[in-house]
Amino acid sequence: LTLRVITPEKVVLDVPTAAARLNLSVSKVWAMTREGRLPVVRIDRAVRIDPVELDKWIKANSDTVRP
């Protein structure tokens, strides 16, 4: 018998987790979701953020630093 440990992957992030990933306050991320500035997934009343879409948003909204 072989046992495997299965670690659950987060398919979507809740707002506090997304805030930590962005290094922003939770209230700031909530404001950005209300303003439509962040890509969100709504599941009933729950607001979640797709980590792949968040990464795309970060890249699209990042300033490139030139030497």
Short mmCIF file of all heavy atoms in Angstrom, two decimals:
data_model
loop_
_atom_site.label_atom_id
_atom_site.label_comp_id
_atom_site.label_asym_id
_atom_site.label_seq_id
_atom_site.Cartn_x
_atom_site.Cartn_y
_atom_site.Cartn_z
N LEU A 1 0.85 -1.19 0.00
CA LEU A 1 0.00 0.00 0.00
C LEU A 1 0.89 1.24 0.00
O LEU A 1 1.77 1.38 0.84
CB LEU A 1 -0.90 -0.01 1.24
CG LEU A 1 -1.82 1.17 1.43
CD1 LEU A 1 -2.90 1.19 0.35
CD2 LEU A 1 -2.44 1.12 2.80
N THR A 2 0.66 2.12 -0.95
CA THR A 2 1.41 3.36 -1.05
C THR A 2 0.52 4.52 -0.66
O THR A 2 -0.59 4.65 -1.18
CB THR A 2 1.92 3.58 -2.49
OG1 THR A 2 2.69 2.46 -2.88
CG2 THR A 2 2.74 4.84 -2.59
N LEU A 3 0.98 5.33 0.26
CA LEU A 3 0.23 6.51 0.69
C LEU A 3 0.84 7.74 0.04
O LEU A 3 2.05 7.89 -0.02
CB LEU A 3 0.28 6.66 2.21
CG LEU A 3 -0.36 5.54 3.01
CD1 LEU A 3 -0.15 5.81 4.50
CD2 LEU A 3 -1.84 5.45 2.72
N ARG A 4 -0.03 8.60 -0.46
CA ARG A 4 0.42 9.86 -1.03
C ARG A 4 -0.18 11.00 -0.22
O ARG A 4 -1.33 10.94 0.18
CB ARG A 4 -0.06 10.02 -2.48
CG ARG A 4 0.60 9.08 -3.43
CD ARG A 4 0.23 9.38 -4.86
NE ARG A 4 -1.22 9.50 -5.01
CZ ARG A 4 -1.80 10.18 -5.99
NH1 ARG A 4 -1.08 10.78 -6.89
NH2 ARG A 4 -3.11 10.24 -6.08
N VAL A 5 0.61 12.00 -0.01
CA VAL A 5 0.11 13.20 0.65
C VAL A 5 -0.32 14.16 -0.44
O VAL A 5 0.46 14.51 -1.32
CB VAL A 5 1.20 13.85 1.54
CG1 VAL A 5 0.71 15.15 2.13
CG2 VAL A 5 1.63 12.87 2.61
N ILE A 6 -1.56 14.54 -0.39
CA ILE A 6 -2.09 15.46 -1.38
C ILE A 6 -2.24 16.82 -0.73
O ILE A 6 -2.94 16.97 0.27
CB ILE A 6 -3.45 14.98 -1.93
CG1 ILE A 6 -3.28 13.60 -2.58
CG2 ILE A 6 -4.03 15.98 -2.90
CD1 ILE A 6 -4.58 12.96 -2.99
N THR A 7 -1.56 17.80 -1.28
CA THR A 7 -1.67 19.15 -0.75
C THR A 7 -2.63 19.93 -1.63
O THR A 7 -2.49 19.96 -2.85
CB THR A 7 -0.30 19.87 -0.72
OG1 THR A 7 0.23 19.85 -2.03
CG2 THR A 7 0.65 19.18 0.23
N PRO A 8 -3.64 20.52 -1.03
CA PRO A 8 -4.60 21.26 -1.84
C PRO A 8 -3.99 22.53 -2.39
O PRO A 8 -3.30 23.27 -1.69
CB PRO A 8 -5.73 21.57 -0.86
CG PRO A 8 -5.08 21.55 0.48
CD PRO A 8 -3.94 20.56 0.37
N GLU A 9 -4.20 22.77 -3.67
CA GLU A 9 -3.75 24.02 -4.28
C GLU A 9 -4.90 25.00 -4.24
O GLU A 9 -6.06 24.63 -4.39
CB GLU A 9 -3.35 23.79 -5.74
CG GLU A 9 -2.11 22.96 -5.89
CD GLU A 9 -1.72 22.84 -7.36
OE1 GLU A 9 -2.01 23.76 -8.13
OE2 GLU A 9 -1.14 21.81 -7.70
N LYS A 10 -4.57 26.24 -4.04
CA LYS A 10 -5.62 27.25 -4.05
C LYS A 10 -5.92 27.60 -5.49
O LYS A 10 -5.06 28.10 -6.21
CB LYS A 10 -5.20 28.48 -3.27
CG LYS A 10 -5.19 28.25 -1.79
CD LYS A 10 -5.18 29.55 -1.05
CE LYS A 10 -5.34 29.25 0.42
NZ LYS A 10 -5.63 30.42 1.19
N VAL A 11 -7.14 27.32 -5.90
CA VAL A 11 -7.56 27.65 -7.25
C VAL A 11 -7.83 29.15 -7.33
O VAL A 11 -7.50 29.79 -8.31
CB VAL A 11 -8.80 26.83 -7.64
CG1 VAL A 11 -9.30 27.23 -9.01
CG2 VAL A 11 -8.49 25.35 -7.59
N VAL A 12 -8.42 29.69 -6.29
CA VAL A 12 -8.67 31.13 -6.20
C VAL A 12 -8.24 31.62 -4.82
O VAL A 12 -8.18 30.84 -3.87
CB VAL A 12 -10.16 31.48 -6.45
CG1 VAL A 12 -10.53 31.25 -7.90
CG2 VAL A 12 -11.08 30.71 -5.53
N LEU A 13 -7.94 32.88 -4.74
CA LEU A 13 -7.47 33.48 -3.49
C LEU A 13 -8.58 34.29 -2.85
O LEU A 13 -9.36 34.95 -3.56
CB LEU A 13 -6.29 34.42 -3.76
CG LEU A 13 -5.12 33.85 -4.55
CD1 LEU A 13 -4.12 34.96 -4.86
CD2 LEU A 13 -4.46 32.71 -3.79
N ASP A 14 -8.64 34.29 -1.53
CA ASP A 14 -9.55 35.22 -0.87
C ASP A 14 -8.85 36.58 -0.79
O ASP A 14 -7.66 36.71 -1.10
CB ASP A 14 -9.99 34.70 0.50
CG ASP A 14 -8.84 34.47 1.46
OD1 ASP A 14 -7.69 34.86 1.16
OD2 ASP A 14 -9.09 33.89 2.52
N VAL A 15 -9.58 37.59 -0.40
CA VAL A 15 -9.04 38.95 -0.40
C VAL A 15 -7.84 39.10 0.55
O VAL A 15 -6.83 39.68 0.15
CB VAL A 15 -10.15 39.99 -0.12
CG1 VAL A 15 -9.56 41.37 0.11
CG2 VAL A 15 -11.12 40.03 -1.30
N PRO A 16 -7.88 38.57 1.77
CA PRO A 16 -6.70 38.71 2.63
C PRO A 16 -5.44 38.05 2.04
O PRO A 16 -4.34 38.60 2.16
CB PRO A 16 -7.12 38.05 3.94
CG PRO A 16 -8.60 38.17 3.95
CD PRO A 16 -9.02 38.02 2.52
N THR A 17 -5.60 36.91 1.39
CA THR A 17 -4.45 36.24 0.77
C THR A 17 -3.92 37.05 -0.41
O THR A 17 -2.71 37.20 -0.57
CB THR A 17 -4.83 34.82 0.32
OG1 THR A 17 -5.36 34.11 1.45
CG2 THR A 17 -3.65 34.07 -0.24
N ALA A 18 -4.82 37.59 -1.21
CA ALA A 18 -4.41 38.43 -2.34
C ALA A 18 -3.72 39.69 -1.82
O ALA A 18 -2.72 40.14 -2.40
CB ALA A 18 -5.61 38.79 -3.21
N ALA A 19 -4.23 40.26 -0.74
CA ALA A 19 -3.62 41.46 -0.16
C ALA A 19 -2.19 41.17 0.28
O ALA A 19 -1.28 41.97 0.03
CB ALA A 19 -4.46 41.96 1.01
N ALA A 20 -1.99 40.02 0.92
CA ALA A 20 -0.64 39.65 1.35
C ALA A 20 0.27 39.47 0.14
O ALA A 20 1.43 39.89 0.16
CB ALA A 20 -0.70 38.37 2.17
N ARG A 21 -0.26 38.87 -0.91
CA ARG A 21 0.53 38.65 -2.12
C ARG A 21 0.92 39.98 -2.78
O ARG A 21 1.99 40.11 -3.36
CB ARG A 21 -0.28 37.80 -3.08
CG ARG A 21 0.47 37.27 -4.23
CD ARG A 21 -0.35 36.21 -4.91
NE ARG A 21 0.34 35.69 -6.05
CZ ARG A 21 0.00 34.61 -6.69
NH1 ARG A 21 -1.05 33.93 -6.29
NH2 ARG A 21 0.67 34.20 -7.73
N LEU A 22 0.03 40.97 -2.69
CA LEU A 22 0.30 42.28 -3.27
C LEU A 22 1.04 43.21 -2.31
O LEU A 22 1.40 44.32 -2.68
CB LEU A 22 -1.03 42.94 -3.68
CG LEU A 22 -1.75 42.29 -4.84
CD1 LEU A 22 -3.18 42.83 -4.94
CD2 LEU A 22 -0.99 42.53 -6.15
N ASN A 23 1.20 42.79 -1.06
CA ASN A 23 1.81 43.62 -0.03
C ASN A 23 1.01 44.91 0.18
O ASN A 23 1.57 45.99 0.30
CB ASN A 23 3.28 43.92 -0.34
CG ASN A 23 4.04 44.38 0.87
OD1 ASN A 23 3.69 44.05 2.00
ND2 ASN A 23 5.07 45.17 0.65
N LEU A 24 -0.32 44.74 0.19
CA LEU A 24 -1.24 45.85 0.43
C LEU A 24 -2.13 45.49 1.61
O LEU A 24 -2.26 44.33 1.97
CB LEU A 24 -2.12 46.10 -0.80
CG LEU A 24 -1.42 46.58 -2.07
CD1 LEU A 24 -2.40 46.58 -3.23
CD2 LEU A 24 -0.83 47.96 -1.87
N SER A 25 -2.80 46.49 2.16
CA SER A 25 -3.74 46.21 3.24
C SER A 25 -4.99 45.55 2.67
O SER A 25 -5.33 45.71 1.49
CB SER A 25 -4.14 47.50 3.97
OG SER A 25 -4.94 48.31 3.12
N VAL A 26 -5.68 44.81 3.52
CA VAL A 26 -6.91 44.15 3.10
C VAL A 26 -7.94 45.19 2.68
O VAL A 26 -8.63 45.01 1.67
CB VAL A 26 -7.45 43.24 4.24
CG1 VAL A 26 -8.81 42.69 3.90
CG2 VAL A 26 -6.46 42.12 4.52
N SER A 27 -8.04 46.29 3.42
CA SER A 27 -9.03 47.31 3.07
C SER A 27 -8.73 47.94 1.71
O SER A 27 -9.65 48.27 0.95
CB SER A 27 -9.12 48.39 4.16
OG SER A 27 -7.88 49.03 4.34
N LYS A 28 -7.46 48.10 1.38
CA LYS A 28 -7.08 48.64 0.07
C LYS A 28 -7.51 47.68 -1.05
O LYS A 28 -8.05 48.11 -2.07
CB LYS A 28 -5.57 48.90 0.01
CG LYS A 28 -5.07 49.39 -1.33
CD LYS A 28 -5.63 50.76 -1.64
CE LYS A 28 -5.02 51.32 -2.91
NZ LYS A 28 -5.62 52.60 -3.27
N VAL A 29 -7.28 46.39 -0.85
CA VAL A 29 -7.67 45.41 -1.87
C VAL A 29 -9.19 45.36 -2.01
O VAL A 29 -9.72 45.29 -3.12
CB VAL A 29 -7.06 44.03 -1.57
CG1 VAL A 29 -7.58 42.97 -2.54
CG2 VAL A 29 -5.54 44.11 -1.67
N TRP A 30 -9.91 45.42 -0.88
CA TRP A 30 -11.37 45.48 -0.97
C TRP A 30 -11.81 46.70 -1.78
O TRP A 30 -12.71 46.61 -2.62
CB TRP A 30 -12.00 45.53 0.42
CG TRP A 30 -12.23 44.19 1.04
CD1 TRP A 30 -11.68 43.72 2.18
CD2 TRP A 30 -13.07 43.14 0.55
NE1 TRP A 30 -12.11 42.45 2.43
CE2 TRP A 30 -12.97 42.07 1.43
CE3 TRP A 30 -13.88 43.00 -0.57
CZ2 TRP A 30 -13.66 40.88 1.26
CZ3 TRP A 30 -14.57 41.81 -0.74
CH2 TRP A 30 -14.45 40.76 0.16
N ALA A 31 -11.21 47.84 -1.53
CA ALA A 31 -11.56 49.05 -2.28
C ALA A 31 -11.28 48.86 -3.77
O ALA A 31 -12.09 49.25 -4.62
CB ALA A 31 -10.78 50.24 -1.74
N MET A 32 -10.16 48.25 -4.10
CA MET A 32 -9.81 48.02 -5.51
C MET A 32 -10.79 47.06 -6.17
O MET A 32 -11.10 47.22 -7.36
CB MET A 32 -8.38 47.52 -5.61
CG MET A 32 -7.35 48.56 -5.21
SD MET A 32 -5.68 47.90 -5.15
CE MET A 32 -5.30 47.84 -6.90
N THR A 33 -11.30 46.08 -5.42
CA THR A 33 -12.29 45.17 -6.01
C THR A 33 -13.61 45.90 -6.24
O THR A 33 -14.25 45.72 -7.27
CB THR A 33 -12.52 43.92 -5.13
OG1 THR A 33 -13.06 44.30 -3.87
CG2 THR A 33 -11.25 43.13 -4.95
N ARG A 34 -14.01 46.74 -5.29
CA ARG A 34 -15.25 47.51 -5.45
C ARG A 34 -15.18 48.46 -6.63
O ARG A 34 -16.17 48.68 -7.32
CB ARG A 34 -15.56 48.29 -4.17
CG ARG A 34 -16.18 47.48 -3.08
CD ARG A 34 -16.72 48.36 -1.97
NE ARG A 34 -15.71 49.26 -1.41
CZ ARG A 34 -14.85 48.94 -0.46
NH1 ARG A 34 -14.87 47.74 0.07
NH2 ARG A 34 -13.99 49.83 0.00
N GLU A 35 -14.00 49.04 -6.85
CA GLU A 35 -13.80 49.99 -7.94
C GLU A 35 -13.61 49.30 -9.28
O GLU A 35 -13.49 49.97 -10.30
CB GLU A 35 -12.58 50.87 -7.63
CG GLU A 35 -12.76 51.74 -6.40
CD GLU A 35 -11.44 52.30 -5.88
OE1 GLU A 35 -10.37 52.02 -6.47
OE2 GLU A 35 -11.49 53.01 -4.86
N GLY A 36 -13.52 47.98 -9.29
CA GLY A 36 -13.31 47.23 -10.52
C GLY A 36 -11.88 47.29 -11.03
O GLY A 36 -11.62 47.04 -12.20
N ARG A 37 -10.95 47.60 -10.15
CA ARG A 37 -9.55 47.73 -10.55
C ARG A 37 -8.79 46.42 -10.52
O ARG A 37 -7.70 46.33 -11.08
CB ARG A 37 -8.86 48.77 -9.66
CG ARG A 37 -9.44 50.16 -9.88
CD ARG A 37 -8.92 51.19 -8.91
NE ARG A 37 -7.47 51.19 -8.86
CZ ARG A 37 -6.77 51.73 -7.85
NH1 ARG A 37 -7.40 52.26 -6.83
NH2 ARG A 37 -5.46 51.70 -7.87
N LEU A 38 -9.33 45.41 -9.84
CA LEU A 38 -8.70 44.09 -9.78
C LEU A 38 -9.63 43.06 -10.43
O LEU A 38 -10.85 43.16 -10.28
CB LEU A 38 -8.45 43.66 -8.33
CG LEU A 38 -7.27 44.27 -7.61
CD1 LEU A 38 -7.25 43.79 -6.17
CD2 LEU A 38 -5.97 43.91 -8.29
N PRO A 39 -9.07 42.06 -11.10
CA PRO A 39 -9.92 41.01 -11.67
C PRO A 39 -10.43 40.10 -10.56
O PRO A 39 -9.64 39.60 -9.75
CB PRO A 39 -8.96 40.26 -12.60
CG PRO A 39 -7.60 40.47 -12.02
CD PRO A 39 -7.65 41.85 -11.39
N VAL A 40 -11.74 39.95 -10.47
CA VAL A 40 -12.31 39.12 -9.41
C VAL A 40 -13.25 38.06 -9.98
O VAL A 40 -13.74 38.19 -11.09
CB VAL A 40 -13.09 39.97 -8.37
CG1 VAL A 40 -12.18 40.95 -7.67
CG2 VAL A 40 -14.26 40.68 -9.00
N VAL A 41 -13.46 37.05 -9.17
CA VAL A 41 -14.44 36.01 -9.45
C VAL A 41 -15.45 36.10 -8.32
O VAL A 41 -15.08 36.08 -7.15
CB VAL A 41 -13.78 34.61 -9.45
CG1 VAL A 41 -14.81 33.53 -9.64
CG2 VAL A 41 -12.68 34.54 -10.49
N ARG A 42 -16.71 36.23 -8.67
CA ARG A 42 -17.75 36.29 -7.64
C ARG A 42 -18.47 34.94 -7.59
O ARG A 42 -18.95 34.46 -8.61
CB ARG A 42 -18.73 37.41 -7.92
CG ARG A 42 -18.06 38.76 -7.85
CD ARG A 42 -19.07 39.90 -7.85
NE ARG A 42 -18.37 41.17 -7.94
CZ ARG A 42 -17.84 41.82 -6.92
NH1 ARG A 42 -17.93 41.32 -5.73
NH2 ARG A 42 -17.22 42.96 -7.09
N ILE A 43 -18.50 34.36 -6.42
CA ILE A 43 -19.21 33.10 -6.19
C ILE A 43 -20.27 33.42 -5.15
O ILE A 43 -19.96 33.57 -3.97
CB ILE A 43 -18.24 32.00 -5.70
CG1 ILE A 43 -17.09 31.84 -6.69
CG2 ILE A 43 -18.99 30.69 -5.50
CD1 ILE A 43 -15.95 30.99 -6.19
N ASP A 44 -21.49 33.57 -5.63
CA ASP A 44 -22.56 34.11 -4.80
C ASP A 44 -22.10 35.46 -4.26
O ASP A 44 -21.77 36.34 -5.02
CB ASP A 44 -22.96 33.15 -3.68
CG ASP A 44 -23.68 31.91 -4.22
OD1 ASP A 44 -24.41 32.06 -5.22
OD2 ASP A 44 -23.51 30.83 -3.65
N ARG A 45 -22.00 35.59 -2.95
CA ARG A 45 -21.56 36.87 -2.38
C ARG A 45 -20.07 36.90 -2.10
O ARG A 45 -19.52 37.93 -1.72
CB ARG A 45 -22.33 37.16 -1.10
CG ARG A 45 -23.82 37.37 -1.38
CD ARG A 45 -24.56 37.71 -0.14
NE ARG A 45 -24.01 38.95 0.41
CZ ARG A 45 -24.50 39.58 1.45
NH1 ARG A 45 -25.53 39.09 2.08
NH2 ARG A 45 -23.95 40.68 1.88
N ALA A 46 -19.41 35.77 -2.27
CA ALA A 46 -17.97 35.68 -2.00
C ALA A 46 -17.17 36.29 -3.15
O ALA A 46 -17.51 36.09 -4.32
CB ALA A 46 -17.56 34.23 -1.79
N VAL A 47 -16.14 37.01 -2.80
CA VAL A 47 -15.24 37.59 -3.80
C VAL A 47 -13.92 36.84 -3.72
O VAL A 47 -13.32 36.72 -2.65
CB VAL A 47 -15.01 39.10 -3.52
CG1 VAL A 47 -13.96 39.67 -4.46
CG2 VAL A 47 -16.31 39.86 -3.65
N ARG A 48 -13.49 36.32 -4.84
CA ARG A 48 -12.23 35.58 -4.92
C ARG A 48 -11.42 36.13 -6.09
O ARG A 48 -11.96 36.74 -7.01
CB ARG A 48 -12.46 34.08 -5.11
CG ARG A 48 -13.23 33.44 -3.98
CD ARG A 48 -12.42 33.44 -2.69
NE ARG A 48 -13.10 32.80 -1.60
CZ ARG A 48 -13.74 33.43 -0.63
NH1 ARG A 48 -13.79 34.75 -0.63
NH2 ARG A 48 -14.31 32.78 0.34
N ILE A 49 -10.12 35.89 -6.05
CA ILE A 49 -9.22 36.39 -7.08
C ILE A 49 -8.43 35.23 -7.64
O ILE A 49 -7.80 34.47 -6.89
CB ILE A 49 -8.30 37.49 -6.51
CG1 ILE A 49 -9.15 38.65 -5.99
CG2 ILE A 49 -7.29 37.96 -7.54
CD1 ILE A 49 -8.42 39.70 -5.21
N ASP A 50 -8.47 35.08 -8.96
CA ASP A 50 -7.73 34.03 -9.66
C ASP A 50 -6.26 34.41 -9.63
O ASP A 50 -5.88 35.49 -10.12
CB ASP A 50 -8.25 33.93 -11.09
CG ASP A 50 -7.57 32.85 -11.90
OD1 ASP A 50 -6.40 32.53 -11.64
OD2 ASP A 50 -8.22 32.33 -12.82
N PRO A 51 -5.39 33.56 -9.09
CA PRO A 51 -3.97 33.92 -8.99
C PRO A 51 -3.31 34.10 -10.35
O PRO A 51 -2.41 34.95 -10.49
CB PRO A 51 -3.34 32.77 -8.21
CG PRO A 51 -4.31 31.66 -8.27
CD PRO A 51 -5.66 32.26 -8.48
N VAL A 52 -3.75 33.38 -11.36
CA VAL A 52 -3.18 33.55 -12.70
C VAL A 52 -3.56 34.92 -13.25
O VAL A 52 -2.71 35.64 -13.79
CB VAL A 52 -3.66 32.42 -13.65
CG1 VAL A 52 -3.21 32.68 -15.08
CG2 VAL A 52 -3.16 31.06 -13.16
N GLU A 53 -4.82 35.30 -13.09
CA GLU A 53 -5.26 36.62 -13.55
C GLU A 53 -4.61 37.73 -12.73
O GLU A 53 -4.30 38.80 -13.26
CB GLU A 53 -6.79 36.74 -13.47
CG GLU A 53 -7.50 35.85 -14.46
CD GLU A 53 -7.13 36.17 -15.90
OE1 GLU A 53 -7.09 37.35 -16.28
OE2 GLU A 53 -6.88 35.20 -16.66
N LEU A 54 -4.39 37.48 -11.45
CA LEU A 54 -3.70 38.48 -10.61
C LEU A 54 -2.28 38.69 -11.10
O LEU A 54 -1.81 39.83 -11.20
CB LEU A 54 -3.71 38.05 -9.14
CG LEU A 54 -3.09 39.02 -8.16
CD1 LEU A 54 -3.81 40.38 -8.19
CD2 LEU A 54 -3.11 38.44 -6.75
N ASP A 55 -1.59 37.61 -11.44
CA ASP A 55 -0.22 37.73 -11.98
C ASP A 55 -0.22 38.52 -13.28
O ASP A 55 0.64 39.37 -13.50
CB ASP A 55 0.41 36.36 -12.19
CG ASP A 55 0.77 35.67 -10.88
OD1 ASP A 55 0.85 36.36 -9.85
OD2 ASP A 55 0.96 34.44 -10.92
N LYS A 56 -1.20 38.26 -14.15
CA LYS A 56 -1.31 39.02 -15.41
C LYS A 56 -1.56 40.49 -15.12
O LYS A 56 -0.99 41.37 -15.75
CB LYS A 56 -2.44 38.47 -16.27
CG LYS A 56 -2.16 37.13 -16.88
CD LYS A 56 -3.37 36.67 -17.69
CE LYS A 56 -3.23 35.25 -18.18
NZ LYS A 56 -4.45 34.81 -18.89
N TRP A 57 -2.43 40.77 -14.14
CA TRP A 57 -2.75 42.14 -13.77
C TRP A 57 -1.50 42.85 -13.24
O TRP A 57 -1.24 44.00 -13.59
CB TRP A 57 -3.86 42.15 -12.72
CG TRP A 57 -4.28 43.51 -12.30
CD1 TRP A 57 -5.22 44.30 -12.88
CD2 TRP A 57 -3.73 44.28 -11.22
NE1 TRP A 57 -5.31 45.50 -12.22
CE2 TRP A 57 -4.40 45.51 -11.19
CE3 TRP A 57 -2.75 44.03 -10.27
CZ2 TRP A 57 -4.13 46.50 -10.26
CZ3 TRP A 57 -2.47 45.02 -9.34
CH2 TRP A 57 -3.16 46.23 -9.33
N ILE A 58 -0.72 42.14 -12.42
CA ILE A 58 0.51 42.72 -11.88
C ILE A 58 1.45 43.09 -13.02
O ILE A 58 1.99 44.20 -13.05
CB ILE A 58 1.18 41.76 -10.89
CG1 ILE A 58 0.33 41.62 -9.62
CG2 ILE A 58 2.59 42.22 -10.55
CD1 ILE A 58 0.76 40.48 -8.71
N LYS A 59 1.64 42.18 -13.96
CA LYS A 59 2.54 42.45 -15.09
C LYS A 59 2.03 43.61 -15.94
O LYS A 59 2.81 44.46 -16.37
CB LYS A 59 2.71 41.20 -15.94
CG LYS A 59 3.55 40.15 -15.26
CD LYS A 59 3.66 38.90 -16.10
CE LYS A 59 4.42 37.85 -15.32
NZ LYS A 59 4.42 36.55 -16.00
N ALA A 60 0.73 43.65 -16.17
CA ALA A 60 0.15 44.71 -17.01
C ALA A 60 0.20 46.08 -16.33
O ALA A 60 0.23 47.11 -17.00
CB ALA A 60 -1.30 44.37 -17.35
N ASN A 61 0.23 46.09 -15.01
CA ASN A 61 0.20 47.35 -14.27
C ASN A 61 1.53 47.71 -13.62
O ASN A 61 1.59 48.61 -12.80
CB ASN A 61 -0.91 47.30 -13.21
CG ASN A 61 -2.26 47.32 -13.83
OD1 ASN A 61 -2.73 48.37 -14.25
ND2 ASN A 61 -2.89 46.17 -13.96
N SER A 62 2.56 46.99 -14.00
CA SER A 62 3.90 47.26 -13.45
C SER A 62 4.64 48.26 -14.33
O SER A 62 4.56 48.18 -15.55
CB SER A 62 4.72 45.97 -13.36
OG SER A 62 4.15 45.09 -12.46
N ASP A 63 5.34 49.16 -13.70
CA ASP A 63 6.22 50.05 -14.43
C ASP A 63 7.53 49.34 -14.63
O ASP A 63 8.07 48.75 -13.70
CB ASP A 63 6.46 51.35 -13.64
CG ASP A 63 5.22 52.19 -13.53
OD1 ASP A 63 4.34 52.09 -14.40
OD2 ASP A 63 5.11 52.94 -12.53
N THR A 64 8.04 49.40 -15.84
CA THR A 64 9.34 48.79 -16.06
C THR A 64 10.43 49.76 -15.62
O THR A 64 10.33 50.97 -15.87
CB THR A 64 9.55 48.41 -17.54
OG1 THR A 64 9.33 49.58 -18.33
CG2 THR A 64 8.58 47.32 -17.97
N VAL A 65 11.41 49.26 -14.97
CA VAL A 65 12.52 50.09 -14.48
C VAL A 65 13.62 50.03 -15.52
O VAL A 65 14.08 48.97 -15.92
CB VAL A 65 13.03 49.58 -13.12
CG1 VAL A 65 14.21 50.41 -12.67
CG2 VAL A 65 11.91 49.58 -12.10
N ARG A 66 14.03 51.19 -15.96
CA ARG A 66 15.11 51.27 -16.95
C ARG A 66 16.37 51.77 -16.27
O ARG A 66 16.32 52.69 -15.49
CB ARG A 66 14.71 52.20 -18.08
CG ARG A 66 13.53 51.66 -18.84
CD ARG A 66 13.17 52.54 -19.97
NE ARG A 66 11.94 52.03 -20.59
CZ ARG A 66 11.45 52.47 -21.70
NH1 ARG A 66 12.05 53.44 -22.33
NH2 ARG A 66 10.37 51.95 -22.19
N PRO A 67 17.50 51.14 -16.61
CA PRO A 67 18.76 51.58 -15.97
C PRO A 67 19.19 52.95 -16.43
O PRO A 67 18.83 53.47 -17.41
CB PRO A 67 19.78 50.53 -16.44
CG PRO A 67 19.13 49.75 -17.51
CD PRO A 67 17.67 50.04 -17.49
#
